[in-house]
Each structure stands twice: as structure tokens, then as C-alpha cells.
Coordinates of all heavy atoms in Angstrom, one line a residue:
L12 N 78.6 -9.5 -7.8 CA 77.9 -8.2 -8.2 C 78.0 -7.2 -7.1 O 78.2 -6.0 -7.3 CB 76.5 -8.5 -8.7 CG 75.9 -7.3 -9.5 CD1 76.7 -7.1 -10.8 CD2 74.4 -7.7 -9.8
T13 N 77.7 -7.6 -5.9 CA 77.7 -6.8 -4.7 C 79.1 -6.1 -4.5 O 79.2 -4.9 -4.3 CB 77.2 -7.5 -3.5 OG1 75.9 -8.0 -3.7 CG2 77.2 -6.6 -2.2
V14 N 80.1 -7.0 -4.5 CA 81.5 -6.4 -4.2 C 82.0 -5.6 -5.4 O 82.7 -4.6 -5.2 CB 82.5 -7.6 -3.9 CG1 82.0 -8.3 -2.6 CG2 82.6 -8.5 -5.0
T15 N 81.6 -5.9 -6.6 CA 82.0 -5.1 -7.8 C 81.4 -3.7 -7.6 O 82.1 -2.7 -7.8 CB 81.5 -5.8 -9.1 OG1 82.2 -7.0 -9.3 CG2 81.8 -4.9 -10.2
V16 N 80.1 -3.6 -7.3 CA 79.5 -2.3 -7.1 C 80.1 -1.5 -6.0 O 80.5 -0.3 -6.1 CB 78.0 -2.4 -6.9 CG1 77.4 -1.1 -6.4 CG2 77.3 -2.9 -8.2
M17 N 80.4 -2.2 -4.8 CA 80.9 -1.5 -3.7 C 82.4 -1.1 -4.0 O 82.8 0.0 -3.6 CB 80.9 -2.4 -2.4 CG 79.4 -2.6 -1.9 SD 79.4 -3.3 -0.3 CE 80.3 -4.9 -0.5
R18 N 83.1 -1.9 -4.7 CA 84.5 -1.5 -5.0 C 84.5 -0.3 -5.9 O 85.4 0.5 -5.8 CB 85.2 -2.8 -5.7 CG 86.6 -2.5 -6.1 CD 87.2 -3.7 -6.8 NE 86.5 -4.0 -8.0 CZ 86.5 -5.2 -8.6 NH1 87.2 -6.2 -8.1 NH2 85.8 -5.4 -9.7
N19 N 83.6 -0.3 -6.9 CA 83.7 0.8 -7.9 C 83.0 2.0 -7.5 O 83.4 3.1 -7.8 CB 83.0 0.3 -9.2 CG 83.8 -0.9 -9.9 OD1 85.0 -1.1 -9.5 ND2 83.2 -1.6 -10.8
A20 N 81.9 1.9 -6.7 CA 81.1 3.1 -6.4 C 81.2 3.5 -4.9 O 80.9 4.7 -4.6 CB 79.6 2.8 -6.7
G21 N 81.6 2.6 -4.0 CA 81.7 3.0 -2.6 C 80.9 2.0 -1.8 O 79.9 1.5 -2.2
F22 N 81.3 1.9 -0.5 CA 80.6 1.0 0.4 C 79.4 1.6 1.0 O 78.5 0.9 1.6 CB 81.6 0.6 1.5 CG 82.6 -0.4 1.0 CD1 83.7 0.0 0.3 CD2 82.5 -1.8 1.2 CE1 84.6 -0.9 -0.2 CE2 83.4 -2.7 0.8 CZ 84.5 -2.2 0.0
E23 N 79.2 2.9 1.0 CA 78.1 3.6 1.5 C 77.5 4.5 0.5 O 77.0 5.6 0.7 CB 78.4 4.4 2.8 CG 79.0 3.6 3.9 CD 77.9 2.7 4.6 OE1 76.7 3.0 4.4 OE2 78.3 1.8 5.3
A24 N 77.4 4.0 -0.8 CA 77.0 4.9 -1.9 C 75.5 4.8 -2.2 O 75.0 5.7 -3.0 CB 77.8 4.4 -3.2
F25 N 74.8 3.9 -1.6 CA 73.4 3.7 -2.0 C 72.5 3.6 -0.7 O 72.9 3.2 0.3 CB 73.2 2.5 -2.8 CG 74.1 2.5 -4.1 CD1 75.2 1.7 -4.1 CD2 73.8 3.3 -5.1 CE1 76.1 1.8 -5.2 CE2 74.6 3.4 -6.2 CZ 75.7 2.6 -6.3
D26 N 71.2 4.0 -1.0 CA 70.1 3.9 0.0 C 69.0 3.0 -0.4 O 68.2 2.6 0.5 CB 69.5 5.3 0.3 CG 70.5 6.4 0.5 OD1 71.3 6.3 1.5 OD2 70.6 7.4 -0.2
N27 N 69.0 2.6 -1.6 CA 67.9 1.8 -2.2 C 68.4 1.0 -3.4 O 69.1 1.5 -4.2 CB 66.7 2.7 -2.6 CG 65.4 2.0 -2.8 OD1 65.4 0.9 -3.4 ND2 64.3 2.5 -2.2
I28 N 67.9 -0.2 -3.5 CA 68.3 -1.1 -4.6 C 67.0 -1.3 -5.4 O 66.0 -1.9 -4.9 CB 68.9 -2.4 -4.2 CG1 70.0 -2.2 -3.2 CG2 69.3 -3.2 -5.4 CD1 71.2 -1.4 -3.8
A29 N 67.0 -0.9 -6.7 CA 65.8 -1.1 -7.6 C 66.1 -2.1 -8.7 O 67.1 -2.1 -9.3 CB 65.4 0.3 -8.2
G30 N 65.1 -3.0 -8.9 CA 65.2 -3.9 -10.0 C 64.3 -3.5 -11.2 O 63.3 -2.9 -11.0
G31 N 64.8 -3.7 -12.4 CA 64.0 -3.4 -13.6 C 63.1 -4.6 -13.9 O 63.5 -5.7 -13.9
E32 N 61.8 -4.3 -14.2 CA 60.8 -5.3 -14.6 C 61.3 -6.0 -15.9 O 61.6 -5.3 -16.8 CB 59.5 -4.7 -14.7 CG 58.4 -5.6 -15.1 CD 57.1 -5.0 -15.5 OE1 57.1 -3.7 -15.8 OE2 56.0 -5.6 -15.6
T33 N 61.2 -7.3 -16.0 CA 61.0 -8.3 -14.9 C 62.3 -9.0 -14.4 O 62.4 -9.4 -13.3 CB 60.0 -9.4 -15.3 OG1 60.5 -10.0 -16.5 CG2 58.7 -8.8 -15.6
A34 N 63.2 -9.1 -15.4 CA 64.4 -9.9 -15.1 C 65.3 -9.4 -14.0 O 66.0 -10.1 -13.3 CB 65.3 -10.1 -16.4
G35 N 65.3 -8.0 -13.8 CA 66.1 -7.5 -12.7 C 65.6 -7.6 -11.3 O 66.3 -7.4 -10.4
I36 N 64.3 -8.0 -11.2 CA 63.7 -8.0 -9.9 C 64.3 -9.0 -8.9 O 64.7 -8.6 -7.8 CB 62.2 -8.2 -10.0 CG1 61.5 -7.0 -10.7 CG2 61.6 -8.4 -8.6 CD1 60.0 -7.2 -10.9
P37 N 64.5 -10.2 -9.3 CA 65.1 -11.2 -8.3 C 66.6 -10.8 -8.0 O 67.0 -10.9 -6.8 CB 65.1 -12.5 -9.0 CG 64.9 -12.2 -10.4 CD 64.1 -11.0 -10.5
F38 N 67.3 -10.3 -8.9 CA 68.7 -10.0 -8.7 C 68.8 -8.7 -7.8 O 69.7 -8.7 -6.9 CB 69.4 -9.8 -10.0 CG 69.4 -11.0 -10.9 CD1 68.9 -11.0 -12.1 CD2 69.9 -12.2 -10.4 CE1 68.8 -12.1 -12.9 CE2 69.9 -13.4 -11.2 CZ 69.3 -13.3 -12.5
A39 N 67.9 -7.8 -8.0 CA 67.9 -6.6 -7.1 C 67.6 -7.1 -5.6 O 68.2 -6.6 -4.7 CB 66.8 -5.6 -7.5

């Protein structure tokens, strides 16, 4: 998931990772 996002969006594209309650929290 990490490399998919970096490949598609960029390696310096984000400042914060947010998880959606509740299932997204551990994966975030």
C-alpha cells in the first residue's frame, strides 16, 4: 500500500496519514 501510494502520488506528497474510524486506524 505504501509503495502504491508513493508510486501514484509521489514520494513527498503527504505530511500526515489519517485513518478512518474504526477499520482504517491500524492500517493508517
Side-chain angles (χ1 to χ4, degrees):
L12 196 60
T13 301
V14 297
T15 295
V16 167
M17 291 192 301
R18 179 182 63 199
N19 294 344
F22 287 78
E23 298 291 342
F25 303 105
D26 307 300
N27 194 315
I28 308 299
E32 181 191 14
T33 58
I36 294 174
F38 300 121

